[in-house]
């Protein structure tokens, strides 16, 4: 008997595919994109069929057989599979892990992809002929018959009035029968979309909207560079109108923390359709349901974070990436993809337009826009009558500080508070203090796994290592000399919060950082209480910089810009400028003008000077020139090979061994191995090797032929290594 062979992607960290014989008993024909359960060593794994074929490079007689097929139709369609194949090649990541990342957890674990059926009850022929009055002695049964005479009814509805026993009794008498029906997807939005109130587009917005509308039927990438509040979202809303009207779906991607009920309701109100939301805080069931309803066309609009780029659609018409510079689009472990770059590839494959929007575009996107690979649009003015923020740099040198704040800063804060406005204080360091120091011997309490100082957390009475998560009880004496004279040094948000309460006792403050904001719900509630004016002082870390609008904030204080100014990472200046500009954008959104106070020991620093006088648009173009002179991305391409091991020499010599094969390709340089910025973490020494080339093709060729060398190296089993293509962080 003929048995086809299926090539399967399995969730294992091996760069290969696996062949299996198809089931003899299977009722369905195998097809790429279906899930199967297969034996793998002593385990069983769930994989996805990549290809169906007649022959294998392995001996057919030795092939094992598929145990079970989980689907009747593919869970991943052809477009999705093409994207994943591309991603596996581009990021040089094992195909099985790529496929499993793309699937919702429930499907990864083997749940069914068919939607749950609904049980309906209706009258049988006998039931239709039966006089209701003949059931005189059973009033409940009579009522059911009467109800069903009007037509079939769902069990759920019937159970509101009747218990299941009544239904069973009538079923036994063969008067009624049930039927399980899988509901047809409700795709009404495709034929009758209603559009809510909308403002007239400003002339600048109108130009962009009409340009985008003229190229809806083909691939293009447009970068909308517009200051915060300049009306980018309004451009998205008007640009997707014809897409949805034509019955095609739209994917809107937002940063992890920018996804708020306000964002969702803005889209919902405009189109009066249900919006599918995808983010990491949802249950597996919720995610699966949204995935399925996007797949069958029920949902026209999906708003989601990073992994929503993998959503199944049945007629995607446009992709929008808001705050495209945001670092949360990059996944920094296992399959290290950049959702923006994957989305661009997806748009290209599906031949649809993609919009990138940001007040502070990444230098990568800006470079593509300036060199005309992308369409480029700018919105210079804030929409409505909001005005731009004013910057002040406050010289911290020789100032007496209270909780890190200079007297002039405190005076300003009080002034704004007294006028009934809100003040936002930004400090990118959570916890109480970044170190615990002994006054007698100078000993600093240090995490022995990472050799970095512990952060003091007062509230929980603990020392926390922010690098590996290790924590222990806050000691009351020095671990070295037993002195009791130990004290926290430096300041984190927890301490500043106490400080604000001391300095401004008559005003209420709220702290927003990852310690106080566990869970989405919490953040949304806090944002609401800020909007309602319950708090006047808002204090937080970079969570505050992302996409939230605080119309009553008129003063923003950045407590310490110096630590970011002297960063070891070449993207440090870009990130600092994005952060300052984004935070400044939170202020003065309504008609109230905003002021930004930057505290620094280096008030004349050229970076800061340029940023505050000329704005991010100017500053970022200067940075781009610097990158060009230094041949750094986006003027070259990089990959980062990381290795960590218990013994430093192992990690080092493992990377050292890759230098020769990497350098064989023309135009490829390899820099390192050097210790990582965080030299030790969780008891392992970390080294890295930067591979760089002005040619993306050459870089990829070099990695491609080095990978087998890496994988077969004698230390490969002892060393934890990873490859990061287009790395964003060098920590
Ligand atoms: P961005 O996405 O660039 O931050 P938004 O689209 O959110 O900007 O616009 C900022 C504010 O201006 C919002 O309150 C929005 O409703 C309003 N707005 C945007 N465009 C217009 C317009 N053409 N007419 C009137 N108000 C507008
Ligand atoms: Zn001591
Ligand atoms: Zn640690």
């Amino acid at each position: 008997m003929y048995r086809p062979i299926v090539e399967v992607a399995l969730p294992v960290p091996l760069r290969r595919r696996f062949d299996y014989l198809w089931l003899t008993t299977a009722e369905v024909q195998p097809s790429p994109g279906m899930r199967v359960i297969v034996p793998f060593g002593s385990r069983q794994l769930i994989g996805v069929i990549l290809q169906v074929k007649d022959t294998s490079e392995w001996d057919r007689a030795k092939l094992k057989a598929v145990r079970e097929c989980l689907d009747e139709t593919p869970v991943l369609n052809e477009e999705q599979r093409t994207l994943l194949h591309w991603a596996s090649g581009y990021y040089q990541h094992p195909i099985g892990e790529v496929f499993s990342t793309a699937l919702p957890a429930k499907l990864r674990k083997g749940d069914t992809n068919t939607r749950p059926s609904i049980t309906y009850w209706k009258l049988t022929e006998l039931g239709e002929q039966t006089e209701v009055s003949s059931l005189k002695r059973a009033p409940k049964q009579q009522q059911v018959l009467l109800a069903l005479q009007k037509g079939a009814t769902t069990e759920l509805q019937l159970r509101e009035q009747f218990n299941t026993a009544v239904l069973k009794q009538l079923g036994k008498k063969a008067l009624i029968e049930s039927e399980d029906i899988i509901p047809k997807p409700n795709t009404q939005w495709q034929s009758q979309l209603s559009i809510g109130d909308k403002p007239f587009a400003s002339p600048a917005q109108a130009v962009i909207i009409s340009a985008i509308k003229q190229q809806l039927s083909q691939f293009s990438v447009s970068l909308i560079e517009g200051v915060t509040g300049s009306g980018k979202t309004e451009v998205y809303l008007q640009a997707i109108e014809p897409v949805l009207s034509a019955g095609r779906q739209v994917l809107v991607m937002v940063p992890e923390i920018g996804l708020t009920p306000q964002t969702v309701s803005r889209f919902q109100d405009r189109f009066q359709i249900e919006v599918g939301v995808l983010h990491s805080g949802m249950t597996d069931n919720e995610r699966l349901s949204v995935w399925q309803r996007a797949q069958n066309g029920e949902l026209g609009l999906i708003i989601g974070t990073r992994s929503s780029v993998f959503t199944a659609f049945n007629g995607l018409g446009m992709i929008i990436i808001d705050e495209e510079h945001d670092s949360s689009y990059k996944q920094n472990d296992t399959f290290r993809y950049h959702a923006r770059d994957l989305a661009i590839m997806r748009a290209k494959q599906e031949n649809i337009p993609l919009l990138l929007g940001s007040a502070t575009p990444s230098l990568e996107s800006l470079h593509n826009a300036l060199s005309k690979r992308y369409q480029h649009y700018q919105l210079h003015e804030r929409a409505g009558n909001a005005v731009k923020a004013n910057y002040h740099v406050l010289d911290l040198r020789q100032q007496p500080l209270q909780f890190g704040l200079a007297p002039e800063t405190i005076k300003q804060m009080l002034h704004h508070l007294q006028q009934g406005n809100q003040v936002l204080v930004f400090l990118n360091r959570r916890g109480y203090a970044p170190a615990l120091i002994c006054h007698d011997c100078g000993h600093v309490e240090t995490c022995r796994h990472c050799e970095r100082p512990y952060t003091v957390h007062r509230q929980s009475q603990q020392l926390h290592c922010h690098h590996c998560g290790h924590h222990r009880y806050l000691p009351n004496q020095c671990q070295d000399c037993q002195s009791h004279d130990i004290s926290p040094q430096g300041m984190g948000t927890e301490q500043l919060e106490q400080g604000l309460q001391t300095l401004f006792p008559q005003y209420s403050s709220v702290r927003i950082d990852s310690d106080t904001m566990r869970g989405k719900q919490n953040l949304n509630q806090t944002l609401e209480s800020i909007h309602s004016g319950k708090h006047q002082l808002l204090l937080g870390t970079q969570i505050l910089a992302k996409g939230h609008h605080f119309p009553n904030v008129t003063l923003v204080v950045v407590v310490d810009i110096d630590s970011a100014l002297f960063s070891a990472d070449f993207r440090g200046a870009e990130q600092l400028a994005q952060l300052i500009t984004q935070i400044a954008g939170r202020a003065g959104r309504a008609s109230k003008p905003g002021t930004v106070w930057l505290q620094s020991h280096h008030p004349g620093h050229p970076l800061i000077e340029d940023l505050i006088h000329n704005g991010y648009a100017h500053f970022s173009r200067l940075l781009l020139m610097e990158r060009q002179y230094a041949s750094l991305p986006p003027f070259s391409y990089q990959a980062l090979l990381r290795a960590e091991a218990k013994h430093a020499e192992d990690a080092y010599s493992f990377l050292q061994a890759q230098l020769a094969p990497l350098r064989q390709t023309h135009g490829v340089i390899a820099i390192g191995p050097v210790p990582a910025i965080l030299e030790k973490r969780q008891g392992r020494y970390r080294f890295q090797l930067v591979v760089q080339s002005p040619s993306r093709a050459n870089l990829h060729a070099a990695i491609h032929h080095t990978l087998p060398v890496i994988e077969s190296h004698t230390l490969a089993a002892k060393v934890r290594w990873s490859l990061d293509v287009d790395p964003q962080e060098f920590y």
Side-chain angles (χ1 to χ4, degrees), residues 120-123 147-154 157:
Y120 281 87
W121 286 93
K122 62 176 186 190
L123 299 176
L148 292 187
Q149 273 175 359
K150 294 187 196 119
T153 309
T154 65
Q157 264 176 320

Side-chain angles (χ1 to χ4, degrees), residues 695-707:
S695 149
R696 183 170 259 160
N698 288 353
L699 175 71
H700 281 248
I703 299 170
H704 191 73
H705 77 237
T706 306
L707 271 172

Side-chain angles (χ1 to χ4, degrees), residues 577-638:
Q578 287 168 343
L579 194 67
I580 291 178
T581 311
Q582 292 286 343
I583 294 173
R586 305 302 126 212
R589 295 223 59 187
S591 49
K592 299 183 176 183
T595 303
V596 182
W597 279 76
L598 306 171
Q599 295 198 132
S600 174
H601 287 96
H602 305 269
H605 196 289
L607 280 181
I608 309 269
E609 287 286 302
D610 187 64
L611 180 64
I612 67 173
H613 290 122
N614 304 320
Y616 182 85
H618 182 270
F619 175 82
S620 54
R621 283 154 180 80
L622 273 188
L623 273 189
L624 211 46
M625 279 165 61
E626 269 186 22
R627 297 266 186 98
Q628 187 165 19
Y629 292 136
S631 297
L632 283 167
F635 297 92
S636 64
Y637 302 95
Q638 292 183 332

